């Protein structure tokens, strides 16, 4: 038996059963799931940092979008906020690195 205690994608139980294994899953309420997803975000960031695999970026986005939904913001609204911030403060397109200020 392997203990995971972490949020999973919706189809994972089905995938596990198709592989011939069993799993125990419980459904969390939104507040409990939000807390666990915030931990999952750190896990996904770490996985990306270690692997540099673009698929990990997709996992990060999936977690971020679900966190925003749980906070009452749709993915479209989150993208709008991101774009507004980009207009006001710019993006990271120029590879700028702040060394210091006076």
């Amino acid at each position: 038996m392997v203990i995971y205690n972490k949020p999973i994608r919706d189809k994972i139980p089905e995938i596990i059963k198709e592989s011939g294994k069993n799993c125990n899953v419980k459904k969390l309420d939104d507040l409990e799931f939000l807390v666990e997803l915030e931990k999952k975000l750190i896990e996904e960031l770490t996985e990306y940092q270690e692997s540099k695999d673009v698929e990990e970026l997709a996992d990060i986005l999936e977690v971020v979008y679900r966190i925003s939904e749980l906070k009452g913001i749709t993915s479209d609204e989150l993208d709008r906020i991101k774009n507004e911030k980009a207009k006001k403060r710019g993006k990271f397109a120029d590879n700028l690195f702040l060394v210091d200020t006076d």
Side-chain angles (χ1 to χ4, degrees):
M1 175 183 289
V2 179
I3 307 293
Y4 289 97
N5 287 325
K6 66 181 187 176
I8 57 173
R9 291 175 178 259
D10 300 336
K11 294 184 179 181
I12 296 301
E14 179 183 321
I15 292 168
I16 291 170
K17 287 176 186 170
E18 288 173 357
S19 77
K21 297 180 182 178
N22 293 311
C23 63
N24 292 308
V25 176
K26 70 178 180 179
K27 186 170 174 113
L28 302 180
D29 67 32
D30 286 352
L31 186 56
E32 291 172 313
F33 198 63
L34 176 59
V35 169
E36 295 303 324
L37 270 183
E38 289 170 343
K39 293 176 193 174
K40 180 74 171 172
L41 180 58
I42 294 167
E43 175 189 324
E44 296 297 348
L45 286 168
T46 301
E47 288 176 8
Y48 170 73
Q49 288 175 323
E50 291 172 357
S51 71
K52 306 299 186 208
D53 187 341
V54 175
E55 281 201 23
E56 296 300 339
L57 293 176
D59 290 342
I60 291 167
L61 283 175
E62 191 70 34
V63 171
V64 166
Y65 282 143
R66 183 63 182 136
I67 288 172
S68 71
E69 289 170 357
L70 289 170
K71 291 180 158 284
I73 304 294
T74 67
S75 58
D76 288 341
E77 289 175 290
L78 185 62
D79 287 339
R80 182 188 52 75
I81 293 167
K82 177 188 78 77
N83 291 334
E84 283 178 10
K85 193 163 187 174
K87 281 182 189 175
K88 290 178 185 175
R89 300 184 61 95
K91 296 184 176 187
F92 293 95
D94 293 335
N95 297 355
L96 302 178
F97 183 80
L98 182 63
V99 176
D100 59 30
T101 63
D102 271 337

